[in-house]
Amino acid sequence: MLSQKQAEEAIVSNYSETDQHEGKEEEKEENHSIFSVKSVLWHGGSAWDAWFSCSSNQVAQVLLTLPYSFSQLGMLSGILLQIFYGLLGSWTAYLISVLYIEYRSRKEKENVNFKNHVIQWFEVLDGLLGPYWKAVGLAFNCTFLLFGSVIQLIACASNIYYINDHLDKRTWTYIFGACCATTVFIPSFHNYRLWSFLGLGMTTYTAWYLAIAAFVHGQGEGVKHSAPTKLVLYFTGATNILYTFGGHAVTVEIMHAMWKPQKFKCIYLLATLYVFTLTIPSASAVYWAFGDELLNHANAFSLLPRNGFRDAAVILMLIHQFITFGFACTPLYFVWEKVIGMHDTKSICLRALARLPVVVPIWFLAIIFPFFGPINSAVGALLVSFTVYIIPSLAHMLTYRKASARQVKMLLLLVNAAEKPPPFMPSWTAMYVINAFVVVWVLVVGFGFGGWASMTNFVRQVDTFGLFAKCYQCKPPPPLAAAAAPPHHR
């Protein structure tokens, strides 16, 4: 009889062999066509590719709104909440990876082939917990990704306005909506290798530009740092940070694009640690320089003087937001393809044509709600709280609630490939305690107080600027030099 340790090693070995068999063509391409342009630039599935995807996907337009959040929270709360939600997000990403491996191992024992099928989060919930969980996961995940894509379009229009203000932000939204629609031609997350690498480089430049430019600018006369002052503003800023580290609505799709997805466990944590080196210095520096002035400037670019460095940062962020739009939209494309029966189609052009209806409502919503900053907080409180934190924690607790699901059994060597708690976790009880804490904290603080604050702020923006706002937080037009003189009558 094999020991438990030997059984676990056999499980991992079998999983790897099955996964490698399914991805045989991809691995051959990586190992034997190193100098192939398609392999190097287009078809990635390594642990490094996953790290670049996770890092690039976390820091997009939210990098520009974090100083705004600091003006609501204060410096200390802003830094502490970034670290807290970053670690919390890494924990739930780990839970999602465990559940994905559990689901896939079960399906592979039933001889299910995933060669032409991309596994998604709602399918994991369906396979492990049933159709009701599938419906809940599908609703929250798709709505979150929909508004995540909307936010990228709003951010594109907001950023380009600071280079060219001859067109209003709404017109720029029309233009970038058409540009982002070209993401329908990118088949899957395998094909984001080059984009993820470039995207992370772009946000790294932008983050350090913000920090350095803020220090060079220095504190103006009379700068005040009065936050926190109001509960509404405090919890609005807190939910924006919750949103910042809730970028793993695409975790399952990124894992599925890996040749060896069991290597994913620590990748999101490593990505988060790198993201800290971008978000904390940049947000702290900009808040130090401008203080309360940021309360009326959700986009950090709006306060920095225009020069070549700032224009370069704007352009790089525009490109990166195009990439992030693709990250958010690709899972929606997959869902839509499965609904209309086009997911197995190999023709890229045919799939692109079928995906276009997904872009239209995103485009329309970006024009209706162009509120850069407040919409981040609203999405964080109402959608990210469930999609990224509460549902994965509850799903993990329910999947492993029975002792039989927490043990490695042997019947013809392989029956259950349950993941043990990580090395730093003393027992399953400790995992349950942490998961319960995540659920209660996010439900009360993130969804409860955060939802109240962010929606109050969001409604205030609608009342102030109205729906379909032509140019949200734009500079007022310069006054006329002189009024026309009335005709002189003798």
Side-chain angles (χ1 to χ4, degrees), residues 74-141:
M75 186 78 77
L76 181 61
S77 290
I79 293 172
L80 291 178
L81 283 173
Q82 280 200 49
I83 295 171
F84 175 70
Y85 281 122
L87 295 177
L88 217 62
S90 298
W91 173 253
T92 53
Y94 165 77
L95 298 180
I96 291 172
S97 72
V98 168
L99 294 173
Y100 167 86
I101 292 173
E102 180 72 35
Y103 167 78
R104 184 164 178 173
S105 63
R106 290 186 188 183
K107 288 298 180 182
E108 285 172 347
K109 292 181 187 70
E110 300 171 4
N111 296 319
V112 177
N113 191 320
F114 294 109
K115 185 176 180 180
N116 295 317
H117 182 92
V118 176
I119 298 173
Q120 294 188 267
W121 176 229
F122 68 89
E123 293 170 319
V124 173
L125 292 173
D126 184 29
L128 297 178
L129 297 173
Y132 292 110
W133 278 87
K134 172 186 176 180
V136 171
L138 184 62
F140 274 104
N141 217 44

Side-chain angles (χ1 to χ4, degrees), residues 116 264 271 295 301 320 347:
N116 295 317
F264 184 86
L295 287 170
F301 281 145
H320 184 254
S347 170

